[in-house]
Amino acid sequence: MNKTQAQSNTFSEYVPFLTRYLRPRLRWVLLLAVMLLVSIGLQLANPQIVRTFIDAAMAGGALRDLIITALLFLGVALAGQAVSLAVTYLAQNVAWAATNALRLDLALHCLRLDLSFHKARTPGELIERVDGDVSELANFFSQMIVRLLGNSLLVLGILILLFREDWRVGLIGAAYVLLAAVLLRQVQKPATKAWSESRQAHARLFGFLGEKLVGVEDIRANGGEPYVMARLYRLMRALLHKGRGAELTGSLTFIAGYSAFMVAMIATLAIGASLFSRGLVTIGTVYLLMVYVNKLEEPLKEIQRQIADLQRAVASVGRVS
């Protein structure tokens, strides 16, 4: 696959590639999906428990009921941490199994290629593709799709609960999510291209280093150090520019998304304070609205992070396909 094709391909074109290495581990992937759904339910339930505790305490509720509510909160929180640990364990198992299978296939494929292929590429470049590019796919294989789906469901659940509590706060949350989605859509293609160029710059640098380290005696004998160092500086400068451009593209999305989040939090606080001052909601409900809007940031940031990993993965898949 040439460079232009690798840059123009989209994620949907790599679905067969993904399923090929995940199908043998389908049981673990399904278990991972179930654990994430359980985690979503626990995250949505805990703020409701805290609201009940706050309203009961403000109303002078019985101490026994408050203790039971507090223990329930602790139990749900501990269950959430246990589920999170299980998700991490399962995801790492899937990641290593899938990427090691891919490394094996790539190594066997390279060994079957004719000598002209190996003469045209340095050992360092091939090592970077077999190991470096494949390492970028670890998250892609383990939990990317499941986490994207899980966090999308979490956002949907939060919006439904916000609209149930107050339609105005629901609109604020929906506007924030819509803005974040637009930002992700706008940055996806240029970011994928930027990460593809960054990975190519890595491959050129490692290929150059591998070639020159093998021939270090000949280089010294012929006085080639200045030439080699000049080439090295050019490759490192190119890597700096490409890597900085890729990181900057992703950082701009996070900055814009965080600014939108702060506006949403301020608007929610203003509406909650207005409703509470008029006696339309309890202080526990104001807390609940603030927590749910605040919780929107975490899954959206995770989606942004997974999209960034997806951009790296698409670039790496294009290079190893």
Side-chain angles (χ1 to χ4, degrees):
M1 180 178 293
N2 60 39
K3 184 179 177 181
T4 303
Q5 289 173 321
Q7 291 175 356
S8 63
N9 284 346
T10 60
F11 169 72
S12 60
E13 298 174 40
Y14 298 123
V15 170
F17 178 86
L18 178 66
T19 55
R20 174 183 174 185
Y21 289 96
L22 287 183
R23 188 180 295 113
R25 298 146 195 97
L26 183 60
R27 180 180 59 181
W28 297 107
V29 174
L30 292 176
L31 181 57
L32 181 61
V34 170
M35 299 299 286
L36 282 173
L37 290 175
V38 172
S39 176
I40 290 171
L42 294 174
Q43 290 180 65
L44 293 176
N46 243 352
Q48 299 282 349
I49 298 173
V50 176
R51 175 173 69 169
T52 301
F53 181 89
I54 292 174
D55 289 342
M58 293 295 293
L63 179 60
R64 180 176 178 275
D65 293 338
L66 293 176
I67 292 175
I68 292 174
T69 305
L71 291 175
L72 178 61
F73 170 81
L74 289 175
V76 172
L78 289 174
Q81 292 300 314
V83 171
S84 178
L85 180 62
V87 167
T88 302
Y89 176 80
L90 290 171
Q92 290 302 314
N93 275 352
V94 173
W96 280 103
T99 52
N100 282 342
L102 177 57
R103 286 186 180 94
L104 179 61
D105 288 346
L106 285 174
L108 290 174
H109 177 69
C110 289
L111 291 174
R112 294 191 186 104
L113 293 173
D114 56 30
L115 191 59
S116 61
F117 173 85
H118 293 280
K119 286 184 177 179
R121 291 163 180 82
T122 62
E125 181 180 356
L126 293 178
I127 291 173
E128 172 64 12
R129 292 204 178 188
V130 171
D131 186 59
D133 283 327
V134 172
S135 295
E136 291 288 346
L137 298 175
N139 188 43
F140 178 71
F141 279 123
S142 62
Q143 53 184 315
M144 182 180 297
I145 306 305
V146 177
R147 282 197 177 275
L148 281 174
L149 178 60
N151 283 290
S152 299
L153 291 174
L154 177 58
V155 169
L156 180 61
I158 292 174
L159 289 178
I160 291 173
L161 292 175
L162 283 175
F163 273 108
R164 192 186 71 171
E165 296 295 336
D166 188 89
W167 64 270
R168 286 159 293 195
V169 179
L171 286 178
I172 291 172
Y176 169 50
V177 171
L178 181 61
L179 179 59
V182 170
L183 290 172
L184 286 174
R185 181 68 177 175
Q186 291 298 319
V187 79
Q188 183 177 4
K189 287 186 178 180
T192 300
K193 180 180 178 182
W195 281 113
S196 178
E197 292 175 349
S198 176
R199 297 303 307 168
Q200 186 64 35
H202 271 94
R204 284 195 292 265
L205 175 62
F206 284 112
F208 175 81
L209 288 174
E211 180 183 9
K212 301 310 175 187
L213 288 174
V214 171
V216 64
E217 294 183 359
D218 293 333
I219 292 171
R220 288 179 176 177
N222 292 281
E225 293 97 331
Y227 170 78
V228 171
M229 294 305 297
R231 285 282 308 280
L232 178 63
Y233 290 148
R234 285 198 295 271
L235 290 170
M236 292 178 66
R237 188 182 301 114
L239 178 59
L240 169 65
H241 292 321
K242 298 298 183 183
R244 184 172 57 190
E247 292 288 351
L248 181 60
T249 303
S251 297
L252 289 175
T253 307
F254 281 100
I255 292 171
Y258 189 74
S259 300
F261 165 72
M262 292 305 299
V263 173
M265 286 293 290
I266 292 171
T268 302
L269 180 60
I271 292 175
S274 175
L275 294 173
F276 177 72
S277 65
R278 288 182 287 165
L280 298 177
V281 297
T282 64
I283 189 66
T285 300
V286 175
Y287 164 83
L288 183 71
L289 295 175
M290 293 296 296
V291 167
Y292 275 150
V293 173
N294 183 67
K295 276 186 171 295
L296 279 175
E297 185 198 18
E298 185 177 347
L300 288 175
K301 283 174 63 176
E302 182 66 23
I303 289 172
Q304 290 177 344
R305 193 177 300 112
Q306 295 298 330
I307 290 294
D309 287 346
L310 177 61
Q311 290 154 1
R312 295 186 183 96
V314 168
S316 295
V317 172
R319 284 167 44 77
V320 301
S321 296

